[in-house]
């Protein structure tokens, strides 16, 4: 029998109805904690989205917390999480306040209600007077960091209007005006000194106080995307600190530009700015007047889904359901209905099919090639529950199938049918593989087994490439090998995302350093001697010891590991630039040769015997695997050096193309 003291949500009267919270007032003031014996009392009011009174919507993270805190709702008990409880205490004002918080306003025990309310969330956040981004309780570090960002924006403000309408300030991380740079550098120096003093006083290892903000869980969660980007007036709240989202982003972007230009590094501010780009890009589509940098208004489903892929969710279905409201606001129709009773594989395949049909494009197939943990996924459907581990091939820079039209359809049992042509077969690939990229490169560098695995895999790649003295393009092995693993020097979608000749000239010394300890190396003793000199020089730097060696571990076994010595030398051998790009662009990938003598690079899932297929309407070659029961399975896109600009696409498409059925 239901407990009469526990609050039970009443069924909503209309499919356009939502509930809003009426939070009781307090004399404590805005963002003031209630007394220890204070209690939270709320009421729920059902309103129509079409005529709803003014309210604010909270964006926060559940953090896997169980609802073990209790508040009063209409005099009865309602369970909430600790994070929501703290947020409610902070949000109490002297007068009553209307809020929308999903965990309270949606009956979490009703799958039916969740499925009907999720499609409305785009409107809920879009119509809110303010979106309040709750990052959690404040700390000394977060309080000072917010003041620092406020100080940065205060000096940026005079330039702000010009920045909004002149993208040259931010495009490609260009320079800021010299006067502004100097003011920011002065603030940065003061902040760094305060940062050092704080950690010295507390006797803890020094860190960047901004990391207290950067590492908050809110920035990693899938649901936060549509919650923030749909709201016109968004505010960042952390403890008692607050900052408008636009000011927050402007300050972070300026710091990222300063860091890259003056310190030539990619860490902290610039890494964080990169992680925030998904919010800014999708927000600019809905609110173009708020964009820091003018850009294209790309409303394709494939672009939206892939841009948010790195974010996480507790329920794997929410990797797509969390964008439902955003799609709805964009006017995208024929979306599969939200249904938490469906298996994950069906949700993913239905959304992928909807995206292909809506976009009239097979671009989502370019995301294949990663880890697959969801069972029963069609081969043409990406496993969105896993983050991308590969450096994506910029498909818009190539035209392997020239400008051929899209020719695809969905047949029986939702099998994808597409027209294309087999141009080659994978002959050989090394046995070893390169580990996937992690978010922080330092984490990889510190892992000795990871280093050993990488160096040995690169050695196998070099030996396989060197065994092919000729290439259909007429290039020698160092030339075609370099262009194959670095995809002809193209690392991004913009025209300027091409490696310079100065970087590419470092490649041969890089190969020589990789092979220095290998028994097949000419002048092996001289090569090892050069590595030894660079390692000896590197070991004089305290940073190397702090990065690789803990105080309670004997460093000699690591120092005497040939692969570790090679990796250290690569950072001091005049090959740093090309090594950075090889490190990033080969993570999780493999090198391969084909029966017709071509070379390629792509996902580590590729196998000898897989076929290279050009598909009409796609700009990259696709690797497919024939099935004994008939049809093919899509494996991954690939770069095949020498055929990326239509060299193998038939002149008479109608006669030479055949229909592929992908299971």
């Amino acid at each position: 029998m239901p407990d009469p003291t526990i609050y039970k949500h009443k069924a909503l009267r209309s499919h356009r109805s939502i509930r809003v919270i009426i939070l009781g007032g307090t004399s404590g003031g805005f963002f003031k904690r209630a007394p220890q014996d204070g209690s939270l009392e709320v009421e729920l009011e059902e309103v129509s989205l079409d005529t709803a009174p003014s309210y604010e919507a909270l964006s926060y993270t559940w953090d896997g917390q169980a609802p073990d805190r209790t508040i009063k709702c209409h005099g009865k008990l309602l369970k909430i999480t600790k994070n929501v409880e703290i947020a409610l205490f902070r949000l109490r004002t002297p007068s009553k306040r209307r809020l929308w918080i999903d965990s309270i306003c949606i009956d979490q025990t009703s799958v039916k209600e969740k499925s009907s309310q999720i499609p409305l969330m785009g409107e809920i956040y879009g119509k809110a007077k303010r979106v309040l981004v709750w990052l959690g309780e404040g700390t000394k570090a977060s309080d000072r960091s917010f003041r620092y960002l406020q100080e940065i924006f205060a000096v940026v403000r005079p330039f702000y209007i010009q920045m909004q309408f002149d993208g040259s300030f931010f495009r490609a991380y260009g320079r800021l005006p010299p006067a502004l740079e100097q003011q920011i550098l002065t603030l940065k120096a003061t902040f760094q000194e305060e940062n050092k003093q704080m950690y010295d006083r507390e006797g803890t290892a020094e860190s960047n106080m901004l990391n207290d903000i950067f590492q908050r869980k809110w920035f990693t969660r899938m649901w936060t995307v549509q919650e923030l980007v749909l709201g016109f007036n968004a505010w960042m709240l952390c403890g008692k600190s607050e900052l408008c989202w636009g000011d927050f982003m402007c300050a972070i972007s300026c710091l990222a530009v300063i860091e890259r230009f003056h310190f030539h590094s990619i860490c902290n501010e610039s890494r964080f700015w990169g992680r925030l780009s998904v919010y800014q890009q999708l927000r600019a589509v809905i609110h173009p007047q708020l964009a820091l940098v003018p850009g294209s208004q790309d409303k394709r489903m494939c672009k939206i889904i892939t841009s948010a892929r790195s974010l996480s969710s507790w329920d794997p279905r929410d990797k797509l359901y969390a964008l439902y409201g955003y799609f709805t606001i964009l006017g995208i129709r024929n979306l599969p209905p939200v249904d938490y009773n469906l298996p994950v594989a069906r949700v993913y395949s239905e959304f992928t099919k909807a995206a292909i049909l809506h976009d009239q494009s097979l671009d989502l197939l370019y995301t294949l090639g990663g880890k697959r943990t969801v069972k029963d996924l069609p081969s043409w459907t990406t496993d969105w529950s896993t983050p991308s581990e590969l450096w994506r091939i910029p498909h818009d820079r190539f035209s392997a199938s020239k400008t051929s039209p899209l020719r695809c359809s969905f047949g029986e049992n939702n099998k994808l049918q597409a027209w294309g042509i087999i141009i080659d077969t994978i002959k050989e690939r090394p046995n070893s593989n390169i580990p996937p990229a992690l978010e922080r490169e330092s984490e990889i560098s510190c892992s000795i087994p990871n280093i050993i695995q990488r160096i040995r895999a690169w050695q196998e790649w070099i030996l396989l490439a060197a065994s092919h003295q000729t290439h259909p393009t007429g290039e020698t092995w160092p030339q075609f090998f370099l262009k194959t693993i670095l995809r002809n020097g193209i690392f991004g979608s913009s025209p300027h995302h091409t490696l310079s000749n100065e970087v590419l000239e470092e490649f041969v010394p890089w190969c020589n350093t990789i092979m220095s300890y290998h028994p097949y190396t000419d002048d092996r003793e001289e090569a090892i001697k050069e590595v030894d000199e660079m390692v000896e020089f590197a070991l004089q730097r305290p940073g190397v010891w702090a990065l690789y060696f803990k105080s309670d571990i004997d460093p000699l076994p690591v120092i005497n590991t040939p692969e570790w010595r090679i990796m250290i030398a690569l950072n001091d051998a005049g090959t740093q630039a090309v090594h950075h790009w090889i490190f990033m662009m080969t993570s999780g990938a493999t090198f391969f040769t084909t029966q017709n003598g071509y070379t390629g690079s792509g996902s580590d899932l590729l196998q000898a015997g897989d076929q290279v297929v050009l598909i009409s309407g796609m700009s990259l070659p696709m690797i497919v695997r024939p099935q004994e029961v008939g049809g093919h399975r899509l494996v991954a896109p690939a770069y095949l050096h020498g055929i990326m600009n239509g060299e193998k696409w038939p002149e008479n498409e109608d006669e030479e193309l055949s229909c592929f059925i992908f299971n």
Side-chain angles (χ1 to χ4, degrees):
M1 186 173 180
D3 187 340
T5 65
I6 302 298
Y7 180 78
K8 175 66 176 176
H9 290 78
K10 296 179 181 178
L12 295 169
R13 292 189 292 269
S14 164
H15 71 283
R16 295 288 296 167
S17 290
I18 65 170
R19 303 182 186 92
V20 293
I21 301 166
I22 301 177
L23 179 62
T26 174
S27 58
F30 193 48
F31 295 128
K32 299 295 184 182
R33 179 183 285 279
Q36 290 296 325
D37 59 348
S39 61
L40 287 166
E41 295 187 13
V42 303
E43 294 179 354
L44 287 176
E45 177 185 4
E46 181 176 344
V47 299
S48 170
L49 252 183
D50 301 317
T51 58
S54 177
Y55 64 91
E56 297 165 294
L58 187 71
S59 176
Y60 68 103
T61 61
W62 287 51
D63 292 343
Q65 297 175 356
D68 57 359
R69 305 301 172 97
T70 302
I71 61 173
K72 288 184 178 180
C73 183
H74 294 281
K76 295 187 177 182
L77 302 180
L78 177 66
K79 294 284 189 178
I80 61 172
T81 64
K82 176 184 177 182
N83 203 14
V84 171
E85 179 190 51
I86 296 172
L88 288 173
F89 273 128
R90 295 297 194 274
L91 296 177
R92 292 210 298 184
T93 59
S95 58
K96 291 183 178 180
R97 191 173 192 177
R98 277 190 171 87
L99 300 166
W100 189 89
I101 303 175
D102 61 349
S103 61
I104 296 177
C105 296
I106 299 176
D107 184 358
Q108 300 300 315
T109 66
S110 171
V111 173
K112 180 180 179 180
E113 181 170 305
K114 287 171 63 178
S115 298
S116 65
Q117 288 280 287
I118 284 175
L120 301 178
M121 288 178 68
E123 286 188 77
I124 292 171
Y125 281 93
K127 292 183 175 181
K129 179 177 68 175
R130 292 204 309 171
V131 172
L132 307 174
V133 175
W134 174 246
L135 299 180
E137 291 190 277
T139 64
K140 291 180 181 178
S142 69
D143 290 345
R144 180 60 188 101
S145 295
F146 262 78
R147 290 200 305 274
Y148 176 47
L149 295 177
Q150 290 164 348
E151 292 165 359
I152 295 292
F153 184 74
V155 301
V156 172
R157 189 186 300 275
F159 303 87
Y160 188 54
I161 300 300
Q162 184 181 0
M163 286 183 189
Q164 283 188 305
F165 295 101
D166 181 7
S168 62
F169 279 33
F170 286 101
R171 189 173 290 113
Y173 290 99
R175 287 197 67 169
L176 298 173
L180 177 58
E181 280 188 350
Q182 190 54 53
Q183 293 181 72
I184 294 177
L185 286 170
T186 300
L187 290 172
K188 185 178 180 71
T190 302
F191 178 73
Q192 289 175 330
E193 180 59 30
E194 292 180 8
N195 184 85
K196 183 178 184 304
Q197 292 176 3
M198 187 188 81
Y199 285 101
D200 285 346
R201 285 194 303 271
E202 296 182 357
T204 57
E206 185 173 346
S207 180
N208 186 331
M209 281 194 286
L210 282 171
N211 286 338
D212 188 282
I213 299 174
F214 297 168
Q215 294 172 1
R216 299 272 173 155
K217 291 287 184 67
W218 186 90
F219 296 105
T220 69
R221 306 303 293 172
M222 191 72 198
W223 280 103
T224 63
V225 173
Q226 74 170 11
E227 294 169 359
L228 175 91
V229 303
L230 294 176
F232 185 84
N233 185 17
W235 284 75
M236 311 297 288
L237 312 179
C238 187
K240 298 177 182 179
S241 303
E242 59 174 302
L243 189 60
C244 170
W245 168 259
D247 300 355
F248 179 84
M249 282 295 293
C250 187
I252 294 294
S253 60
C254 287
L255 287 171
V257 173
I258 290 286
E259 182 182 278
R260 289 205 174 202
F261 188 83
H262 284 273
F263 304 100
H264 307 289
S265 62
I266 306 176
C267 56
N268 290 321
E269 291 92 335
S270 53
R271 283 189 182 277
F272 187 57
W273 167 250
R275 285 169 52 193
L276 293 180
S277 62
V278 58
Y279 297 95
Q280 200 64 9
Q281 290 167 8
L282 298 185
R283 186 170 166 81
V285 173
I286 302 294
H287 308 295
Q289 69 273 36
L290 299 180
L292 281 177
V293 181
S296 63
Q297 304 300 303
D298 196 335
K299 298 181 180 181
R300 292 176 301 158
M301 287 182 68
C302 66
K303 179 70 173 180
I304 296 165
I305 293 171
T306 54
S307 65
R309 185 178 179 181
S310 63
L311 302 175
S312 57
S313 63
W314 294 109
D315 189 320
R317 285 166 288 225
D318 287 338
K319 291 285 287 189
L320 297 173
Y321 286 164
L323 295 171
Y324 206 102
Y326 187 84
F327 292 141
T328 302
I329 293 297
L330 289 180
I332 296 175
R333 302 290 181 251
N334 299 319
L335 292 170
V338 176
D339 186 350
Y340 282 94
N341 292 312
L342 293 178
V344 176
R346 183 172 170 184
V347 173
Y348 286 4
S349 61
E350 287 185 351
F351 263 85
T352 300
K353 178 180 177 180
I356 290 173
L357 295 176
H358 172 270
D359 298 343
Q360 284 297 290
S361 166
L362 291 172
D363 283 4
L364 268 185
L365 302 188
Y366 298 135
T367 63
L368 296 173
K371 185 187 301 181
R372 297 171 74 86
T373 59
V374 175
K375 295 181 179 180
D376 303 322
L377 272 179
S379 68
W380 47 267
T381 300
T382 296
D383 185 348
W384 301 108
S385 68
T386 60
S388 177
E389 298 175 337
L390 297 166
W391 187 281
R392 290 187 61 194
I393 306 171
H395 60 87
D396 40 7
R397 301 287 300 278
F398 299 105
S399 54
S401 301
K402 294 188 176 179
T403 57
S404 56
L406 178 70
R407 302 182 186 184
C408 74
S409 61
F410 286 92
E412 185 181 356
N413 297 323
N414 268 344
K415 292 182 179 180
L416 175 64
Q417 300 175 350
W419 290 79
I421 183 172
I422 300 171
I423 62 167
D424 215 333
T425 301
I426 294 179
K427 179 181 179 181
E428 187 177 0
R429 57 149 293 176
N431 293 323
S432 59
N433 64 299
I434 293 179
L438 299 179
E439 181 177 351
R440 284 178 279 187
E441 188 172 331
S442 61
E443 292 179 354
I444 302 176
S445 302
C446 293
S447 171
I448 305 306
N450 190 295
I451 290 174
I452 293 173
Q453 187 177 349
R454 280 178 179 272
I455 297 297
R456 290 179 180 176
W458 283 331
Q459 289 172 343
E460 282 196 54
W461 289 21
I462 291 172
L463 291 174
L464 179 57
S467 68
H468 289 66
Q469 294 300 318
T470 60
H471 193 273
T473 60
E475 296 165 308
T476 62
W477 85 259
Q479 292 173 323
F480 70 71
F481 181 51
L482 166 66
K483 292 181 179 180
T484 299
I485 65 174
L486 290 184
R487 298 153 192 174
N488 212 21
I490 296 173
F491 64 88
S493 297
S494 300
H496 64 274
H497 290 162
T498 303
L499 299 180
S500 66
N501 290 331
E502 289 77 9
V503 172
L504 301 181
E505 287 170 0
E506 299 177 358
F507 182 66
V508 172
W510 181 87
C511 289
N512 292 337
T513 303
I514 289 289
M515 300 301 292
S516 55
Y517 281 84
H518 200 277
Y520 293 166
T521 301
D522 297 331
D523 299 324
R524 184 167 178 261
E525 291 185 4
E526 184 63 28
I528 293 176
K529 181 180 178 182
E530 291 181 5
V531 170
D532 290 345
E533 291 175 353
M534 287 180 279
V535 170
E536 184 177 350
F537 178 77
L539 289 174
Q540 297 175 17
R541 299 198 299 268
V544 173
W545 288 88
L547 184 62
Y548 290 101
F549 309 116
K550 296 181 179 179
S551 58
D552 57 342
I553 296 179
D554 182 6
L556 287 179
V558 172
I559 292 174
N560 292 328
T561 303
E563 291 82 4
W564 182 85
R565 299 177 72 81
I566 290 171
M567 188 68 82
I568 292 297
L570 288 170
N571 291 312
D572 287 276
T575 60
Q576 296 96 322
V578 77
H579 174 61
H580 166 79
W581 289 109
I582 293 174
F583 188 98
M584 299 301 295
M585 294 174 71
T586 63
S587 293
T590 192
F591 172 76
F592 64 88
T593 61
T594 71
Q595 290 183 355
N596 293 332
Y598 287 89
T599 54
S601 61
S603 166
D604 187 52
L605 299 179
L606 309 185
Q607 299 176 3
D610 287 346
Q611 296 171 335
V612 184
V613 173
L614 299 183
I615 296 176
S616 184
M618 297 192 70
S619 56
L620 299 180
M622 295 299 295
I623 306 301
V624 307
R625 189 165 298 156
Q627 301 295 289
E628 293 182 1
V629 295
H632 292 75
R633 287 190 65 82
L634 282 159
V635 180
Y639 175 91
L640 195 65
H641 186 58
I643 66 94
M644 298 301 292
N645 294 306
E647 294 88 343
K648 291 294 182 179
W649 187 250
E651 292 296 330
N652 194 334
E653 299 176 9
D654 293 336
E655 292 185 5
E656 298 190 48
L657 299 186
S658 57
C659 182
F660 288 81
I661 298 177
F662 296 114
N663 302 323

